């Protein structure tokens, strides 16, 4: 199978697994309001959702081995596309017209991006100096966004999306370097970049949870969109990735990005009580005491999801 097609298939499976995990955790939390960590740890259903999250994260990492960032990262929006209709079906309600429009716009926008996104299996990785520079710039930017001030939800959401996108770029470097035998698993580059991945993945998760406490819709859309943008900047500027079709290809990609962005915004407007993400992150006031521990998910927009 072509490397890019394999990356697409893996990304699709990853998104479905993340969406299924989110819906499962939402249903578990809604059935057991006020349950603490110990009760969750004794639940087979909760461990099943953890297994789905772990499988989704692994599929995402493998997809980064076979596909460029400009292809793999935008597909993270498919988690939201899958979670909303799946959550509605399990909850026994109809998918609204707005949700259907959001789904269509998101899928059409992603299709336009994929048409012009070039790439085969990634051959370039970030050097140690490039990884450290990216990490330093990202940390400084997140520090600015996390400062006290107006609109903390949107600023923290932006920081979360950037952190997760950078974590994916660094994850790709670790995966490619470790699997193509260009670096030992115990090399300074692999270990150092892996530590950076863990730091940014954890930071992105914490920032997203903080952002969502100021409302779900807008911060969720910002996280979902900032993630692939951050990864694409690294892919285009440092990893030699590009877009096919010259100026026309760039215009098509921008149009696709705009259409997908609007679709994500529509999907993010689902009321909190109906949203399969809300209970997972304890966003709904009635579920504020529900604490559902989740594993760190390196570089995926579903930390916010």
């Amino acid at each position: 199978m072509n490397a890019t097609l394999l990356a697409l298939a893996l990304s699709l499976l990853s998104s479905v697994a993340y969406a299924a995990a989110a819906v499962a955790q939402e249903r578990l939390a809604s059935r057991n309001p006020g349950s603490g960590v110990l009760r969750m740890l004794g639940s087979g259903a909760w461990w099943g959702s953890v297994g789905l999250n772990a499988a989704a994260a692994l599929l995402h990492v493998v997809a980064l081995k076979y596909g460029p960032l400009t292809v793999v990262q935008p597909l993270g929006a498919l988690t939201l596309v899958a979670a909303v209709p799946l959550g509605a079906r399990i909850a026994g309600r109809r998918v609204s017209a707005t949700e259907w429009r959001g789904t269509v716009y998101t899928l059409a926008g992603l299709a336009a991006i994929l048409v012009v996104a070039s790439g085969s299996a990634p051959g370039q990785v970030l050097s140690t100096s490039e990884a450290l520079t990216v990490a330093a710039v990202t940390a400084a930017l997140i520090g600015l966004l996390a400062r006290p001030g107006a609109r903390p939800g949107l600023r923290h959401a932006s920081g979360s999306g950037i952190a997760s996108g950078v974590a994916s770029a660094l994850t790709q470097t670790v995966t490619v370097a470790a699997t193509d035998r260009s670096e030992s698993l115990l090399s300074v580059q692999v270990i150092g970049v892996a530590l950076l991945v863990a730091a940014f993945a954890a930071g992105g998760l914490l920032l997203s949870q903080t952002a969502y406490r100021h409302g779900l819709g807008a911060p969720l859309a910002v996280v979902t969109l900032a993630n692939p943008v951050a990864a694409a900047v690294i892919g285009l500027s440092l990893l030699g990735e590009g877009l096919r079709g010259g100026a026309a290809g760039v215009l098509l990609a921008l149009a696709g990005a705009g259409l997908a962005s609007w679709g994500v915004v529509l999907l993010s407007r689902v009321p909190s009580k109906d949203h399969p993400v809300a209970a997972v992150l304890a966003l709904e006031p009635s579920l504020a005491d529900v604490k559902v521990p989740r594993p760190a998910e390196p570089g995926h927009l579903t930390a916010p999801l």
Side-chain angles (χ1 to χ4, degrees):
M1 180 185 292
N2 178 276
T4 301
L5 291 179
L6 180 57
L8 290 174
L10 292 169
S11 296
L12 177 60
L13 291 174
S14 174
S15 296
V16 172
Y18 272 127
V23 173
Q25 288 181 315
E26 188 276 335
R27 300 302 294 168
L28 180 62
S30 64
R31 289 198 303 267
N32 300 282
S35 297
V37 173
L38 292 179
R39 184 169 180 178
M40 289 295 180
L41 291 176
S43 168
W46 181 80
W47 282 108
S49 68
V50 170
L52 282 171
N53 267 317
L58 180 59
L59 287 167
H60 180 70
V61 170
V62 178
L64 289 171
K65 160 67 178 174
Y66 292 104
L69 287 168
T70 48
V71 171
V72 174
Q73 283 308 109
L75 293 176
L78 292 176
T79 296
L80 185 58
V81 170
V84 171
L86 181 60
R89 182 176 181 83
I90 293 179
R93 67 175 182 85
R94 290 186 176 183
V95 177
S96 69
T98 298
E99 291 168 344
W100 280 122
R101 284 199 302 273
T103 298
V104 171
Y105 292 161
T106 302
L107 292 176
L110 290 177
I113 293 172
L114 294 177
V115 166
V116 297
S118 66
S120 52
Q124 292 182 248
V125 296
L126 297 174
S127 66
T128 301
S129 61
E130 288 174 334
L132 291 175
T133 300
V134 167
V137 171
T138 302
L141 181 57
I142 291 175
L144 290 174
L145 292 170
R147 290 186 307 172
R151 297 184 179 275
L154 295 182
R155 288 188 291 104
H156 289 168
S158 298
S160 174
I162 292 170
S164 297
V166 170
S168 275
L170 297 174
T171 297
Q172 185 179 68
T173 288
V174 172
T175 303
V176 174
T179 57
D180 68 0
R181 301 182 183 276
S182 62
E183 294 286 346
S184 166
L185 287 174
L186 299 179
S187 69
V188 173
Q189 181 186 21
V190 171
I191 294 176
V193 176
L195 291 174
L196 291 175
V197 169
F200 282 117
L205 180 60
L206 292 175
L207 284 168
S208 68
Q209 290 180 324
T210 302
Y212 295 146
R213 296 192 185 281
H214 297 275
L216 178 64
L220 179 58
V222 170
V223 169
T224 304
L225 298 173
N227 183 318
V229 168
V233 167
I234 295 174
L236 294 172
S237 62
L238 297 177
L239 298 178
E241 298 179 10
L243 299 174
R244 290 191 292 259
V250 172
L251 290 175
L252 180 58
L254 290 174
L259 190 60
S261 298
W262 181 238
V264 168
V265 169
L266 291 177
L267 290 173
S268 301
R269 288 179 176 175
V270 180
S272 293
K273 65 183 180 63
D274 295 326
H275 210 294
V277 176
V280 176
L281 297 174
L283 304 178
E284 200 173 341
S286 62
L287 297 174
D289 295 327
V290 178
K291 297 180 177 60
V292 184
R294 299 183 65 184
E297 298 160 2
H300 197 277
L301 75 100
T302 49
L305 294 177

